[in-house]
Amino acid sequence: MLSQRWIEVLVGLFLLFALLALAGLAFKVSGLTSLFPTKSYEISANFEDIGSLKVRSAVKMGGVQIGQVSDISLDPATFKAIVHMRIEDSFNQIPDDSSAGIYTAGLLGDNYIAITPMYSQSFMKQGSQIEYTHSAMILEKLIGQFIYKMGGSANDKEKGNENAPKAQ
């Protein structure tokens, strides 16, 4: 039979292993770090409005994640958002005339960048910039525009009726 001391050592080793496994799982799920980073190259794109796009948001092509957003900054001259993306080296044949758009995963999900490939025979490389971009559709703006148009048409009807004689 095992002595009390050996049982305590085994329980301690089990707890140490469990804590290391939980720490590894937490880092893997959060995406904060990777033990074996993949080789990648960086490209950029300018957008009028990025909505709620964040650093580490997904970059997808055809629904497959090919990279992630590495940095977001503001161009002081044009006041456009500059989005830098890290693309995995295994996806190194993206045509340089491709377009990028910001979409939402589901109705209220996170934003991501979708790259739509075009037909050029030359490909993007480190430092390339996507010229054709489509900004994010902001749900709040669309609702505001809808309400404004609905309210505007009601106001127009009221104004048109002001000149009509009032029935008593």
Side-chain angles (χ1 to χ4, degrees):
M1 189 153 154
L2 292 175
S3 69
Q4 184 69 22
R5 184 173 202 87
W6 276 109
I7 292 174
E8 290 175 359
V9 168
L10 289 175
V11 168
L13 288 174
F14 177 76
L15 282 174
L16 182 63
F17 176 74
L19 289 174
L20 288 174
L22 285 175
L25 181 65
F27 280 117
K28 184 70 174 168
V29 168
S30 68
L32 291 177
T33 184
S34 158
L35 296 177
F36 305 105
T38 59
K39 295 188 118 201
S40 60
Y41 61 98
E42 188 167 301
I43 60 175
S44 65
N46 295 344
F47 292 94
E48 293 284 335
D49 192 345
I50 61 169
S52 62
L53 188 74
K54 298 176 184 72
V55 173
R56 290 195 316 268
S57 292
V59 176
K60 297 181 179 184
M61 183 183 303
V64 176
Q65 183 166 345
I66 62 170
Q68 66 181 9
V69 174
S70 61
D71 184 44
I72 300 172
S73 59
L74 184 67
D75 184 351
T78 63
F79 298 108
K80 289 185 178 182
I82 304 170
V83 178
H84 297 274
M85 300 164 266
R86 285 224 158 271
I87 307 297
E88 295 176 19
D89 258 354
S90 58
F91 302 101
N92 59 359
Q93 294 192 355
I94 301 172
D96 62 0
D97 63 346
S98 298
S99 65
I102 300 176
Y103 297 100
T104 305
L107 185 59
L108 298 173
D110 289 336
N111 286 4
Y112 67 93
I113 294 181
I115 296 178
T116 305
M118 293 301 182
Y119 305 104
S120 176
Q121 294 301 315
S122 56
F123 304 115
M124 290 192 185
K125 56 187 182 295
Q126 174 68 29
S128 294
Q129 182 169 356
I130 298 176
E131 297 296 326
Y132 308 106
T133 60
H134 308 284
S135 294
M137 292 179 74
I138 312 299
L139 185 61
E140 293 86 4
K141 281 185 181 180
L142 293 174
I143 292 171
Q145 289 174 353
F146 177 74
I147 291 173
Y148 178 75
K149 286 184 181 181
M150 293 301 289
S153 63
N155 287 340
D156 291 342
K157 289 178 185 175
E158 288 175 11
K159 287 180 185 177
N161 289 339
E162 284 177 358
N163 295 334
K166 295 184 181 179
Q168 297 199 15

